[in-house]
Amino acid sequence: MKVTDLKYGYWKHFGDERDKKYGMKYHRDVSDYEGEEEIILSCTQRANLTANEQKKSVQRWCDLFLNEQTGIKKIWITTRISQKIFDAVCNQDSLEGLWVKWGGYKDISNIQKLKKLKHLHLGSGGQIESLEPLRSLTRLKTFESKGLYKITNYDFLKNLNNLEDISLWGDPFSAMKNINIDSLKFLNSLNKIVRLDLCMIKIGDYDYKPIL
């Protein structure tokens, strides 16, 4: 992990470097994609489109991701995604980084296809029912989550021996809501951790020793 990643984590540093390289280019429709290896996907919540136009635009992205291997390495999704979009993105087996802001996706099982994934952010996924599919992603170095209120057991993380950076958040802003974590004992099995970011959490067994 780079020193520049330590304060705010990998995704903050990546965003800064991405902006220097590509500028703030948002990929709203498939026609915006010009073969870049790193994209900001903003294909929903487009006020200038009718509902039917929006639906067609999303379908074009899903068709691209499901029918082609684009070679994209990192996708930063900044608008609300559906289960359909999430599953389509998970068909891109070249992905090394996936950042999801928020959405109505509750089943992440297709993420198991992303064997090269190293950096993952799952934001505001209050419907997500299980993170067990992440157990097989042994290349993961960064795992960030926010607002995963249905998840209390994080023991699957102890199998991800390459993890260096973990961020587990509730919502310290609009909802001001904690997430509940049964135990932090999974940290005892992770000897490469250099950054741990915990915010708005409650620990079920009240044991904070694994942090020390």
Side-chain angles (χ1 to χ4, degrees):
M1 191 172 184
K2 298 177 181 178
V3 173
T4 49
D5 297 343
L6 286 175
K7 187 173 183 180
Y8 297 110
Y10 169 81
W11 284 107
K12 173 63 168 66
H13 177 61
F14 164 70
D16 293 342
E17 292 300 308
R18 179 209 60 215
D19 293 345
K20 291 177 185 176
K21 187 175 181 180
Y22 297 110
M24 289 294 289
K25 177 182 178 181
Y26 291 87
H27 295 73
R28 294 182 172 86
D29 200 74
V30 168
S31 60
D32 296 323
Y33 176 60
E34 299 177 311
E36 301 94 334
E37 291 186 343
E38 302 169 357
I39 69 170
I40 306 174
L41 183 60
S42 301
C43 63
T44 64
Q45 297 180 280
R46 299 171 62 186
N48 61 317
L49 299 183
T50 66
N52 189 48
E53 289 171 336
Q54 173 74 90
K55 184 178 179 179
K56 289 180 178 179
S57 178
V58 168
Q59 187 60 53
R60 285 192 288 271
W61 279 109
C62 290
D63 289 343
L64 174 68
F65 291 141
L66 291 171
N67 296 322
E68 296 182 30
Q69 289 299 325
T70 62
I72 295 174
K73 292 185 178 180
K74 297 183 179 74
I75 298 180
W76 188 302
I77 306 176
T78 60
T79 54
R80 187 183 189 276
I81 68 166
S82 62
Q83 185 71 54
K84 182 177 183 178
I85 299 171
F86 183 86
D87 290 342
V89 166
C90 288
N91 194 55
Q92 294 296 299
D93 58 20
S94 58
L95 273 185
E96 297 178 5
L98 177 60
W99 191 95
V100 179
K101 182 178 182 179
W102 74 296
Y105 59 111
K106 65 179 183 179
D107 180 4
I108 66 166
S109 58
N110 277 315
I111 206 169
Q112 296 174 91
K113 299 177 183 179
L114 303 180
K115 300 302 183 183
K116 297 180 181 179
L117 200 65
K118 296 178 181 179
H119 308 284
L120 176 63
H121 173 99
L122 296 176
S124 299
Q127 296 182 40
I128 294 177
E129 298 175 342
S130 173
L131 294 178
E132 283 300 310
L134 301 182
R135 186 183 292 272
S136 64
L137 301 181
T138 55
R139 293 191 181 188
L140 270 187
K141 294 184 177 182
T142 303
F143 175 66
E144 299 180 355
S145 68
K146 179 182 177 183
L148 306 189
Y149 300 114
K150 293 185 178 181
I151 308 299
T152 62
N153 188 330
Y154 288 81
D155 284 350
F156 71 93
L157 289 174
K158 65 185 178 183
N159 297 308
L160 305 180
N161 296 322
N162 287 308
L163 276 177
E164 300 175 355
D165 179 7
I166 297 176
S167 178
L168 306 175
W169 278 40
D171 185 349
F173 303 112
S174 56
M176 291 296 291
K177 185 176 180 179
N178 293 323
I179 58 169
N180 296 301
I181 298 177
D182 295 337
S183 173
L184 294 174
K185 287 186 172 63
F186 62 85
L187 290 171
N188 294 328
S189 302
L190 300 173
N191 56 22
K192 292 185 179 180
I193 296 296
V194 294
R195 180 178 180 273
L196 178 65
D197 182 15
L198 305 175
C199 179
M200 296 293 287
I201 67 169
K202 288 185 177 180
I203 307 302
D205 63 4
Y206 301 103
D207 183 4
Y208 291 85
K209 290 180 182 177
I211 296 177
L212 304 177

